[in-house]
Amino acid sequence: MLSAHATLPAKGMDLAATLFCGQTFSWHQNDDNYFYGMAGSRSLVVWQQEDTLFLAHPDGTLTPKDLAFWQHYFALDTDYEALHAKFTKHQKLAVCVSAFPGIRVLRQPFWDTLLSFIISQNNNISRITGIVGRLCQTFGQQLPGAQYMFPSAQALAQLTPEDLSPLRAGFRAKYLIDAARKVASGEVDETRLRSLNNNDARDELKLIYGVGDKVADCVLLFGLGRDDIAPMDVWMKRAMEQIFPKGMPKAAKGAEGIAQQYIFHWARQNLPAANAAAAKTKKQNK
DNA sequence: TGCCAGGCATCTA
DNA sequence: TAGATGCATGGC
């Protein structure tokens, strides 16, 4: 255990489940159950013992400002009892949330989240983590603890897709460059996005080449703190993994379809833009 | 070796 | 407007 550390009540949070459920790709776990990661311009070592989180600066001391940042990042100031009560109004969703009650929806920096979920498309968590790591290490500024922050939009906007070839991001490279150029120019602006309703914010994000409804909703949920965007996404995924730990057998596609229907049932009530996706899935399940 | 991966844009009918 | 297809790469 590092000597200079701060503690925070975990309030029922499951640190490992939260960091590796597919909402962030910027964390690594070592053999001693220490988790190393970064968000924005901050790096951190964090570990959990029972219902207490231990937080340490990798190379110094956590300031009160740092601690406030991480408390917000881990959503420790959110009333999850109330949030769970809201989510579990749907019977099947209640099963998913109760299967992983310790998952918290992280409040990640907007820019980190946008890049991460552009990379995530048609991809898997292991490889996403690798590409994110190479992006930060190759073009980002070094942080304490051998961590690297995401390159700024301004820095990335100066590059070409060919410059990103060491990342092995494939066809996503051109999407990353377009995102950087639109954010750097102000065509897509975080402050404006925060002032818009969900539908308008989604439309603005979709101005970026390579950003569709799925990526936009992930950015809204994880990067802009909109907890009314498909909040069961992370729980549903983990619950399905528990039901099918060795992967989804083809014969179980029906069950997956049922679970999806519950997602879309909720989404239809809350997201007009989800109607098209819901209709598409309904056809696929026929 | 072939399939799959949390998507998206583009083309075609 | 819906369906089909290509896009890059790595894990299994």
Side-chain angles (χ1 to χ4, degrees):
Chain A
M1 186 181 295
L2 300 180
S3 56
H5 62 260
T7 61
L8 288 170
K11 297 183 178 176
M13 174 187 184
D14 181 334
L15 183 63
T18 297
L19 292 179
F20 300 118
C21 68
Q23 58 177 318
T24 174
F25 310 97
S26 303
W27 292 85
H28 306 275
Q29 182 179 13
N30 76 359
D31 294 338
D32 296 325
N33 283 327
Y34 289 86
F35 299 86
Y36 294 81
M38 61 85 188
S41 59
R42 287 178 168 85
S43 53
L44 184 73
V45 184
V46 58
W47 64 101
Q48 181 170 21
Q49 289 180 357
E50 297 179 348
D51 203 35
T52 300
L53 286 186
F54 295 79
L55 302 92
H57 192 284
D59 187 23
T61 306
L62 279 181
T63 66
K65 208 172 175 181
D66 292 330
L67 196 57
F69 173 87
W70 291 113
Q71 190 169 19
H72 180 76
Y73 177 88
F74 287 113
L76 296 171
D77 48 0
T78 298
D79 183 353
Y80 260 81
E81 277 190 30
L83 212 50
H84 282 175
K86 176 181 159 189
F87 295 163
T88 53
K89 284 178 183 172
H90 293 287
Q91 189 184 0
K92 296 288 182 182
L93 293 178
V95 175
C96 297
V97 173
S98 66
F100 291 94
I103 287 178
R104 299 290 177 263
V105 175
L106 299 173
R107 296 202 196 94
Q108 303 175 61
F110 161 72
W111 177 238
D112 298 13
T113 312
L114 177 59
L115 293 180
S116 296
F117 281 90
I118 286 173
I119 292 168
S120 80
Q121 62 176 270
N122 196 22
N123 218 335
N124 57 65
I125 290 177
S126 169
R127 186 167 171 241
I128 298 164
T129 304
I131 296 172
V132 165
R134 289 190 290 276
L135 171 65
C136 297
Q137 201 159 352
T138 307
F139 299 107
Q141 188 181 328
Q142 187 167 15
L143 299 169
Q147 302 288 331
Y148 292 82
M149 59 189 287
F150 281 88
S152 68
Q154 289 73 19
L156 208 52
Q158 305 299 317
L159 303 176
T160 66
E162 291 71 33
D163 293 326
L164 302 191
S165 57
L167 310 184
R168 303 197 298 279
F171 61 89
R172 306 165 191 85
K174 54 185 178 289
Y175 302 160
L176 295 172
I177 297 299
D178 191 64
R181 290 177 180 169
K182 287 197 165 74
V183 169
S185 70
E187 189 176 346
V188 173
D189 179 73
E190 180 183 354
T191 303
R192 186 170 55 248
L193 287 169
R194 290 187 183 280
S195 73
L196 297 174
N197 65 40
N198 288 341
N199 289 333
D200 291 343
R202 183 182 298 106
D203 286 343
E204 179 159 328
L205 284 166
K206 285 165 65 178
L207 293 174
I208 297 166
Y209 182 43
V211 173
D213 283 329
K214 169 70 177 175
V215 170
D217 275 1
C218 287
V219 174
L220 285 170
L221 171 61
F222 302 124
L224 290 169
R226 304 291 179 89
D227 66 8
D228 52 346
I229 294 289
M232 71 291 296
D233 188 78
V234 290
W235 282 287
M236 180 65 81
K237 179 171 165 50
R238 293 306 297 250
M240 295 306 288
E241 286 171 356
Q242 189 179 57
I243 296 168
F244 304 110
K246 293 182 179 177
M248 183 79 64
K250 290 199 185 316
K253 287 292 182 186
E256 184 191 31
I258 292 168
Q260 292 263 337
Q261 282 183 15
Y262 278 93
I263 289 181
F264 288 128
H265 171 74
W266 181 91
R268 271 197 299 275
Q269 292 183 330
N270 295 274
L271 307 172
N275 287 342
K280 187 178 177 183
T281 298
K282 196 174 179 181
K283 279 193 173 181
Q284 286 172 345
N285 290 335
K286 275 185 179 176

